[in-house]
Structure formats: structure tokens, C-alpha cells
Amino acid sequence: MVYENKRQSILQLFDDKPRITVCAPMVRYSKGAFRELVRDYGVDIAYTPMILADVFKSSAFARQDYTTNSSDCPVVVQFAAHDPADLAQAAELVAPFADGIDLNCGCPQKWAYKERIGAYLSERPEAVQDMVRAVKSTVSVPCSVKIRKHPSDMRKTVELVRRAERMGVDWITVHGRNRHQKSTEPIDYEAIRLVKESVSIPVLANGGVFSTSDAEAMYDRTAVNGVMSARGLLQNPALFAGYDQTPLSCVEKYVNLAIAYGTSTFILHHHLMFMLESVMSSVERRTFNCLSSTPAILDHLASYYGIECNL
């Protein structure tokens, strides 16, 4: 954490713009370089990867994994927690360096469910209420929750979001699938619309947004205040700027940002695989998959695409 007092009001952003575009929290991927990149292509708000609140509040070493700067605004720090005290302490530590704090109630992974975090909370309104209350009583930074729809009873999802609203949550993001569904299954637009109609605060929709037409469909069918994209932005960071696939200028910009941020070879390689997947031949893909160092990746980009690192 390296920058303070540069915060931008997310709540004002919701007031000023009828439609908000958001980069989702993604493990490993939604870090500083990528957040800065997508802001250049129409993203209004960017989330950090999910952070474990109990580890963050206890370990100075763990806190080093979150860095921010004057270009990283507005940024929402997402925490996973099951204990209100852990979440409140983590929120207090990060508040001077964040524009918003989000409670993850949607991670569908089995390990998270066993740890009583993520989607486990989407089925437990009382626990979410307690944690939102703890954050709101500790910090003045806006607070949100990100949920999935209930696996079988949307009345419980409605109860969840209404309790969160009563505790003062500032906006809600809802993923239109339950924790058991695969990412290839259709989005439940009606569930998202029901959430939107059940509260008076802004609602963001997550799931199935890979193009501007997908975003338009989401707005038309749910009347939400904004859309969030994860895999869509990984494949095409410029999607909210109207590009059908990642332009090479965007790839080049990411390479330079990644090098400047000190991004690991592993993350650099994965991001580029996502961005270039639609234009790579099978032969090139095999070659690219074998590259194991940043210089080798840069040489490949220069040879195949004329992309140069300017640093």
C-alpha cells in the first residue's frame, strides 16, 4: 500500500453516470498493471483480487501484496471473511488506500465454502449483516457486497440484500448464477432484476459480459446501474471501449505496464495468452506456451506482432 488521499468518490460516480463499467475481482489477474490498463479502455471501477481478511490484518508481509498508486482510482479492495472483527480490522488498515471495500459473498470454490467464506455467505443473511455492520462502524469508506443468487430460493437472496441495505451497504453486485453452476451456463437475468427491484441502492450485474452487446442486453433485461466483467476483460481488456477483440495497441500498452509494475513472468504470460488467443494459430500457441522467461516473451511479441517494450 503506497498511496493515500487520492480517493475518488464511487458514490458520486454512481450519481453522475447512469451506466457504470467494472473490472471484476480476479485471483492473480486484477492487479495493478491490469487495473491501469482497463481504465484506459472505458472501465470506471476496478476491483483487486480477493484478499483473506484474517491474513491481511495479521501479516505485514501479506499486506505487501496490495499496492496502489495515483493512477489506480477508483479501486475497490475485496475481502473474504467470516468473522466481523477480522473484516473490520482489515478494512481499517486498507481504508486510507482504497475507494471502496467489498465483502466477497460469491466465490464458489469448495475450499472457500469449507472456510465459511465466499458463496457460503450468500446463504447466510445474518452473517453478512453482522460483517457489514462491523465495517460501517469502523471506517467511512463505502462498502459493498458481491453475491451469487441462492441455489434454490430467491426469497433468501432478497432477504440477504435487504439486510445488507439496512446495515448501510452502499451498493450490491450480483452474479446471475448460483455456486453450483458452471461459467458456461446461462445467466439468470430475472434473478438479477429481482435484486435490483428489491433495494434502493445501486446494483451491479456480473456474469456473461464479453462484449458491448452483452452489456446492453444486461441493462435492457435487468435495469441495473452497471455491469461487471471478468473473463470478458481478460480476453479483451478493450471490450468496454467497443473493440471486438484485443487491439495490438492494447497488448503493447499492457506489456509496458506489466514490465513497469514488475509483473511476474507467469502472470504476464497468462494475460497475453488470454489477449492473443483469438489471433494465435495452433502452431504459434504451442510455441508461446513453451516460453519461460520475460525476455523470451518480449522477443516473441517483437517477432510475431512488431510489439516493442519501451522501457
Side-chain angles (χ1 to χ4, degrees):
M1 298 180 291
V2 296
Y3 200 83
E4 190 173 359
N5 296 327
K6 51 87 176 178
R7 312 291 25 137
Q8 175 177 334
S9 172
I10 290 179
L11 303 185
Q12 186 63 48
L13 189 60
F14 279 118
D15 287 339
D16 292 343
K17 293 192 69 173
R19 294 182 171 185
I20 303 295
T21 54
V22 186
C23 177
M26 293 176 279
V27 175
R28 294 188 298 272
Y29 299 123
S30 54
K31 293 195 173 183
F34 191 71
R35 296 198 300 267
E36 183 168 342
L37 176 73
V38 295
R39 292 181 202 283
D40 286 343
Y41 292 93
V43 163
D44 296 310
I45 302 170
Y47 280 54
T48 68
M50 181 182 76
I51 299 169
L52 298 176
D54 58 348
V55 176
F56 188 86
K57 62 100 175 176
S58 301
S59 169
F61 178 78
R63 290 195 289 275
Q64 293 176 16
D65 194 47
Y66 171 56
T67 59
T68 186
N69 57 47
S70 59
S71 299
D72 190 23
C73 182
V75 61
V76 176
V77 177
Q78 187 188 71
F79 285 115
H82 67 262
D83 180 81
D86 286 344
L87 181 60
Q89 290 177 52
E92 188 171 27
L93 286 167
V94 86
F97 312 95
D99 302 293
I101 293 168
D102 182 74
L103 174 62
N104 184 316
C105 304
C107 178
Q109 303 213 13
K110 290 181 180 179
W111 71 266
Y113 200 86
K114 289 179 181 179
E115 293 292 328
R116 295 179 293 150
I117 61 176
Y120 178 92
L121 298 173
S122 281
E123 302 168 29
R124 289 160 178 81
E126 299 89 351
V128 174
Q129 177 178 287
D130 290 344
M131 283 191 280
V132 171
R133 180 191 290 117
V135 172
K136 297 298 288 188
S137 65
T138 304
V139 300
S140 59
V141 175
C143 172
S144 66
V145 294
K146 185 175 185 293
I147 69 169
R148 283 178 178 257
K149 72 168 192 170
H150 192 277
S152 59
D153 189 349
M154 278 303 296
R155 290 174 298 180
K156 293 185 178 180
T157 299
V158 170
E159 180 188 0
L160 171 68
V161 298
R162 285 178 173 169
R163 281 184 183 238
E165 182 180 29
R166 286 198 296 271
M167 288 302 101
V169 77
D170 294 288
W171 74 93
I172 291 166
T173 303
V174 55
H175 189 121
R177 300 183 183 96
N178 66 52
R179 70 182 181 90
H180 302 293
Q181 290 181 289
K182 297 179 180 178
S183 60
T184 53
E185 295 186 53
I187 289 294
D188 187 340
Y189 292 101
E190 290 306 311
I192 297 173
R193 176 178 280 277
L194 180 59
V195 170
K196 172 61 180 171
E197 292 173 347
S198 299
V199 295
S200 58
I201 55 177
V203 173
L204 303 175
N206 181 213
V209 176
F210 290 86
S211 66
T212 51
S213 60
D214 290 336
E216 287 295 329
M218 184 68 80
Y219 287 124
D220 291 343
R221 299 179 68 172
T222 66
V224 290
N225 303 88
V227 296
M228 173 184 283
S229 178
R231 291 180 299 127
L233 282 172
L234 281 181
Q235 294 174 10
N236 178 11
L239 83 83
F240 285 127
Y243 290 89
D244 294 329
Q245 63 183 32
T246 310
L248 289 183
S249 57
C250 178
V251 177
E252 184 170 36
K253 184 174 293 188
Y254 173 70
V255 169
N256 282 280
L257 284 169
I259 298 302
Y261 273 81
T263 303
S264 70
T265 298
F266 176 83
I267 298 300
L268 172 66
H269 189 276
H270 274 233
H271 269 297
L272 291 171
M273 277 299 299
F274 282 118
M275 293 182 200
L276 295 170
E277 184 178 15
S278 63
V279 297
M280 278 186 175
S281 67
S282 57
V283 173
E284 185 196 349
R285 191 173 294 113
R286 286 195 295 271
T287 299
F288 193 82
N289 279 337
C290 293
L291 302 178
S292 59
S293 71
T294 296
I297 292 171
L298 297 179
D299 286 345
H300 181 96
L301 294 174
S303 298
Y304 277 75
Y305 301 101
I307 291 175
E308 299 287 346
C309 177
N310 298 320
L311 298 177

